[in-house]
Amino acid sequence: NAMADGAPTSLDEPLIRLGRRRLQPTETVARTEATQQRDALLPFVVISSTYLLFTITDGALRMIVLLHAYRKSFTAMEVTLMFVLYELAGVGTNLAAGIAGARWGIRATLVTGLLLQIVTFGLLFGWEDGWSKSQAILYVTGVQLFGGVAKDLTKLGGKTVTKLVTPEEKETQLFKLVSLLTGWKNS
């Protein structure tokens, strides 16, 4: 099978030289289909894992703020004020994230959300113990705005990729599952 100068005459010859047998056409098709299925689910696994881990860090971030405010003797209303922009950020961010996701893709919104979460963590280190309550509330409320935007940008990726990999005939089941999980989370 080799030419006179030793160069392989087919693409399979280097594999045969390494002691590997040539794949039969049915094995190649089966391996290709398995690879395509794996490659199709890889973005789902990566984005879903990222979203789940983000959810944990986001909850931890809010808990840190809450516990620090408690330690500094903030009232319940003062703590509530700190989270107003976090929650209100969702209104504008969801609209803008949908447009950004359609224009630049899920990856861009996901990475931007993750980077904003890191910025949020970093900015919270700037909360000085010597500040008055009103200074601390203004600062933390502003920082929480970044956290709220980060949450909604990351959530867009997590929910979109799930929708994209769900077969059309299973969408009703997906909707019921998402409703159930969201209800549990919000309880």
Side-chain angles (χ1 to χ4, degrees), residues 66-114:
L66 180 67
L67 292 173
H68 190 68
Y70 175 77
R71 189 175 64 85
K72 302 293 288 173
S73 301
F74 282 78
T75 66
M77 184 55 84
E78 290 167 335
V79 173
T80 302
L81 287 173
M82 291 179 180
F83 290 99
V84 166
L85 282 181
Y86 175 89
E87 296 300 335
L88 289 178
V91 176
T93 303
N94 282 319
L95 177 61
I99 294 167
R103 186 170 201 176
W104 295 299
I106 296 171
R107 181 182 298 172
T109 58
L110 182 68
V111 170
T112 302
L114 295 173

Side-chain angles (χ1 to χ4, degrees), residues 39-139:
D39 290 347
L41 286 177
L42 185 63
F44 171 74
V45 170
V46 169
I47 292 173
S48 296
S49 299
T50 302
Y51 179 59
L52 290 171
L53 292 171
F54 176 88
T55 302
I56 292 168
T57 62
D58 188 53
L61 180 70
R62 288 190 278 166
M63 188 57 69
I64 290 168
V65 169
L66 180 67
L67 292 173
H68 190 68
Y70 175 77
R71 189 175 64 85
K72 302 293 288 173
S73 301
F74 282 78
T75 66
M77 184 55 84
E78 290 167 335
V79 173
T80 302
L81 287 173
M82 291 179 180
F83 290 99
V84 166
L85 282 181
Y86 175 89
E87 296 300 335
L88 289 178
V91 176
T93 303
N94 282 319
L95 177 61
I99 294 167
R103 186 170 201 176
W104 295 299
I106 296 171
R107 181 182 298 172
T109 58
L110 182 68
V111 170
T112 302
L114 295 173
L115 290 174
L116 278 174
Q117 182 75 337
I118 292 168
V119 168
T120 302
F121 271 113
L123 288 173
L124 279 175
F125 280 105
W127 184 355
E128 304 258 341
D129 283 339
W131 287 348
S132 69
K133 281 187 175 184
S134 58
Q135 288 173 315
I137 290 170
L138 285 173
Y139 183 78

